[in-house]
Amino acid sequence: MPASKKTVRRPLSITSATLLSLSLASTPMLTAGPAFAAKPSPSSSASPSATPPATMSTVGGELLGRPGTQASLGSDAPVVPKGISARSWIVADAESGEVLAAHNAHWRLAPASTLKMLFADTLLPKFNKDDEHKVAPEDLAGVGSGSSMVGIKEDETYTVHDLWLGVFLRSGNDAVHVLSAMNGGVKQTVADMNAHAEELQALDTHAVSPDGYDAKGQVSSAYDLTLIARSGLQKKDFREYCSTVRAKFPGETKKGKNGKKSRSSFEIQNTNRLLTGDGGLDSYQGIAGVKNGNTTNAGATFTGVAERDGRVLLVTVMHPEKDEHNQVYKETASLFDWGFKAAGKVTPVGELVPPKSADTSGGDAGEPSAQPGATASASASGGAGGKSVAARASGGGGGVGVALGIMGGVLVLLAGGVFLVNRKWPLRGKKQ
């Protein structure tokens, strides 16, 4: 049974949406400051500490390298929310790249499973989603004790599509290791991830494991995770996977009494609680992904993207100090609320820089450039989707409309919904 027919995705926008249920009745804008010439030693900041370093990277702007909260509020701008306990956070406009406010944006902290965004952005272009792989025992070697798993079994065959559902929905480290094996192994995959982080100018990031499992020297930052998410959201498959609420995943093949083999499936649900909701926590209006994480060392981490009234924001929150249920999501929602109210009323404190190889010459904004890190054959075929990059562009404005979603048996009709993330990396002052 093809999993693609069983997936349920959150709409990527709820702009002027009509729901139809079948079963329910004053300073100049900052320019990017100088970046560090080289990455600091990964081991120097591998574990979070109570105090941010006095000197941090200035990629994206000088203010972003300062400790503490950075915000430049206009006279009518709302104050930055009180009670945010995260060690590091950032609020940015996904389309323009403007950073509206930030707190210790470049503090290098353990990322937990938010690092899977870099894994996905690196590997998605390398395989077609209908490719199949039979899992060998060595594919699952090295999966950390206590890891989140989707339930992959040895000697069973899975499509690449199945495996990506396991990565995005269940944060399955087993799915990550299988895809890594398909990519030449964990060592090769980590090297590819670090090279891609360098290309994205995510210079705070150093991957040691492909899945975000705690490892000495494995770090990222709120700024970098936001850069990585923004890069991933340029990919159609990435957007679709990170917005999927629930899906059917292949189970074990068993032999019946008549000797005939059959394979069952089971439902998996996204662990992003702003997407699915949870006890005492509603799903966030306009949410469309991206990725959550939680380990003993990293605490809770989360990067989310949401749209409201035609504006798309990215928020990353790392390691809230308050130890309350769903605290990382509550703080993210609070920062989203602030960002949507504050947009247009604050002076940006920095910007999300483009990849090193990005075309910022201001050509046709309707089609995306080839993704950094993609192999020549993957770029030509459109990567995981099997379509050309140009064919994946939807509309001159670079948006993707979701006209129909099926959520838990309830038909939801979305009229005019558009999720917009720049297909080309923006030039300052140019709305694409």
Side-chain angles (χ1 to χ4, degrees), residues 47-232:
S47 299
S49 61
T51 305
T55 302
M56 293 179 281
S57 168
T58 55
V59 171
E62 186 271 333
L63 289 178
L64 298 180
R66 297 181 183 178
T69 300
Q70 308 301 322
S72 180
L73 308 180
S75 58
D76 57 345
V79 298
V80 176
K82 293 178 171 56
I84 303 296
S85 69
R87 294 181 177 181
S88 177
W89 56 260
I90 193 169
V91 181
D93 187 301
E95 186 178 6
S96 71
E98 294 174 347
V99 177
L100 306 186
H103 180 78
N104 300 326
H106 281 291
W107 192 358
R108 306 179 83 223
L109 301 167
S113 285
T114 47
L115 193 66
K116 288 184 173 80
M117 294 189 297
L118 177 61
F119 172 79
D121 195 37
T122 303
L123 262 64
L124 264 170
K126 296 191 175 188
F127 308 110
N128 289 314
K129 62 169 61 179
D130 56 354
D131 289 348
E132 294 186 344
H133 179 78
K134 186 175 182 179
V135 176
E138 55 268 26
D139 294 348
L140 299 174
V143 176
S145 174
S147 289
S148 54
M149 306 281 228
V150 68
I152 288 173
K153 302 297 182 184
E154 297 175 6
D155 299 322
E156 292 284 5
T157 298
Y158 300 86
T159 65
V160 166
H161 179 69
D162 294 330
L163 296 171
W164 283 120
L165 287 172
V167 171
F168 278 90
L169 272 67
R170 294 302 304 168
S171 202
N173 289 6
D174 47 356
V176 169
H177 278 254
V178 173
L179 285 163
S180 296
M182 294 173 65
N183 187 54
V186 166
K187 184 177 180 180
Q188 179 62 54
T189 298
V190 168
D192 290 346
M193 290 168 65
N194 284 322
H196 188 50
E198 189 91 20
E199 158 63 22
L200 295 178
Q201 302 198 63
L203 303 182
D204 299 322
T205 299
H206 180 76
V208 176
S209 67
D211 49 25
Y213 189 84
D214 284 338
K216 184 178 180 181
Q218 183 152 274
V219 289
S220 190
S221 66
Y223 182 86
D224 279 15
L225 292 174
T226 308
L227 271 189
I228 293 163
R230 190 180 187 219
S231 176

Side-chain angles (χ1 to χ4, degrees), residues 81-89 273-274 278-281 293-294 299-302 315-335:
K82 293 178 171 56
I84 303 296
S85 69
R87 294 181 177 181
S88 177
W89 56 260
R273 299 309 180 201
L274 285 189
D278 195 24
L281 181 74
N294 197 321
T301 61
F302 180 68
V315 171
T316 296
V317 172
M318 299 187 77
H319 203 137
E321 299 285 2
K322 290 181 181 177
D323 187 18
E324 297 181 12
H325 186 55
N326 288 326
Q327 185 65 27
V328 72
Y329 301 112
K330 293 173 183 176
E331 295 192 11
T332 300
S334 181
L335 289 169

